[in-house]
Amino acid sequence: MNTSSPIGVFDSGLGGISVLHTLVQTMPQENYIFFGDSKHNPYGTKTKEEITKRCIEICDHFIQQDVKAIVIACNTATSACVNLLRKRYSIPIIGMEPALKVACEIGDHQKILVWATDFTLREKKFADLMKQFEANHEIVKVACPKLVRLVEENQLNDVEYVQDVLSSYLPHQNFDSLVLGCTHFVFYKSILEKMVPSILIIDGNTGTVNHLKDILTQNHLLNTGKGSIVFQNSLETKISLSKELFEYLK
Ligand code: DGL
């Protein structure tokens, strides 16, 4: 392994491409392998054991490709097994969690809506995060499984339908911010900013990417070359959609 070794980035499917996009914007000189597990999507309705088994298989696959770090571009997979993966592999493993802290630090008594998968919202990791903030803020959690499916099934361009689905997950009360606690949901950020301009839309992608950059810097692992992206998927038919989704964010 050396500075030009790739960074492995994975998700339960194609949502993590939004994280890959931020990674490439911030560190274009790096070589990336993005692995989408679309064959086993969604993770949000699976058990911890099922998700962990898939994550170990994906990380073993990355290790065979000599990656220098792994980004779990999936809040659900992070809640299920980030600690176990960190024990199992000696390279840096970067996880993700809903950016609730960012929303709460905006001010006192914030009204915050958190969208994530059912799994993320019922896991201990999120319950512990809520405990830190719920005394001072009003936090409402909503699981949004359809928003994962729309990305996997390439329906983002059906804007009217997308807006209907997004509206169905917006409660009637007012909120200061909406935390996108699933990487699939970041694809809706620009539509949401137009639909609900008074609500601040927050995602965890930049925080995650900056964290990786710090770790690579500390370990003298930053690359200086040209940079590249390889898309892999457990469903070969999703490779062209992966590239389209990456372009969609440009
Ligand atoms: N993209 C994933 C996340 O960030 C979850 C989608 C799924 O249910 O598989 O949580």
Side-chain angles (χ1 to χ4, degrees):
M1 194 232 289
N2 56 49
T3 52
S4 66
S5 298
I7 297 167
V9 184
F10 78 93
D11 180 34
S12 66
L14 307 175
I17 291 170
S18 67
V19 182
L20 177 72
H21 185 259
T22 311
L23 281 162
V24 174
Q25 276 184 324
T26 313
M27 294 182 285
Q29 76 285 1
E30 296 293 339
N31 299 307
Y32 298 97
I33 303 173
F34 178 83
F35 186 92
D37 198 11
S38 295
K39 189 172 177 185
H40 301 95
N41 184 275
Y43 282 4
T45 50
K46 289 191 167 44
T47 63
K48 185 180 242 175
E49 291 68 32
E50 288 169 324
I51 299 169
T52 304
K53 187 169 177 282
R54 284 306 305 149
C55 292
I56 289 174
E57 278 176 33
I58 295 166
C59 290
D60 284 352
H61 168 73
F62 277 152
I63 296 295
Q64 281 165 14
Q65 297 175 86
D66 196 32
V67 297
K68 63 182 179 185
I70 292 176
V71 178
I72 311 172
C74 178
N75 296 260
T76 308
T78 302
S79 335
C81 59
V82 65
N83 293 334
L84 182 142
L85 296 178
R86 286 192 179 130
K87 279 189 200 128
R88 194 180 159 101
Y89 304 99
S90 56
I91 56 170
I93 309 265
I94 313 302
M96 296 193 74
E97 66 179 13
L100 190 57
K101 188 168 182 279
V102 177
C104 293
E105 283 175 350
I106 290 169
D108 292 333
H109 312 300
Q110 293 289 301
K111 288 185 185 161
I112 303 160
L113 177 62
V114 182
W115 282 358
T117 65
D118 186 47
F119 186 90
T120 300
L121 295 177
R122 68 184 145 76
E123 266 304 291
K124 184 177 180 301
K125 197 170 189 300
F126 188 73
D128 290 345
L129 188 66
M130 281 273 287
K131 262 187 223 146
Q132 293 177 43
F133 302 107
E134 64 191 346
N136 293 320
H137 305 278
E138 191 182 320
I139 303 166
V140 175
K141 318 179 275 182
V142 178
C144 312
K146 281 190 198 158
L147 298 184
V148 175
R149 229 174 304 142
L150 288 180
V151 175
E152 292 296 312
E153 291 171 3
N154 192 15
Q155 283 181 286
L156 281 181
N157 293 324
D158 190 347
V159 179
E160 255 176 56
Y161 180 57
V162 168
Q163 283 178 335
D164 283 350
V165 178
L166 292 171
S167 301
S168 72
Y169 290 125
L170 285 168
H172 290 300
Q173 70 214 84
N174 277 333
F175 289 93
D176 297 306
S177 60
L178 164 57
V179 174
L180 304 176
C182 168
T183 52
H184 283 75
F185 304 170
V186 180
F187 283 97
Y188 306 104
K189 196 169 179 177
S190 56
I191 304 178
L192 282 164
E193 280 167 347
K194 283 185 203 119
M195 270 176 78
V196 283
S198 60
I199 303 180
L200 183 66
I201 315 293
I202 297 173
D203 68 73
N205 287 6
T206 304
T208 303
V209 170
N210 289 341
H211 182 45
L212 172 67
K213 192 176 178 185
D214 288 347
I215 287 184
L216 292 179
T217 308
Q218 285 158 21
N219 290 286
H220 308 289
L221 278 173
L222 280 175
N223 192 33
T224 47
K226 191 171 170 285
S228 63
I229 307 171
V230 172
F231 286 99
Q232 300 177 343
N233 197 291
S234 49
L235 273 184
E236 198 55 39
T237 51
K238 295 285 180 187
I239 299 289
S240 62
L241 178 56
S242 304
K243 292 176 186 165
E244 272 175 49
L245 285 170
F246 187 79
E247 292 302 315
Y248 178 91
L249 292 168
K250 278 194 170 164

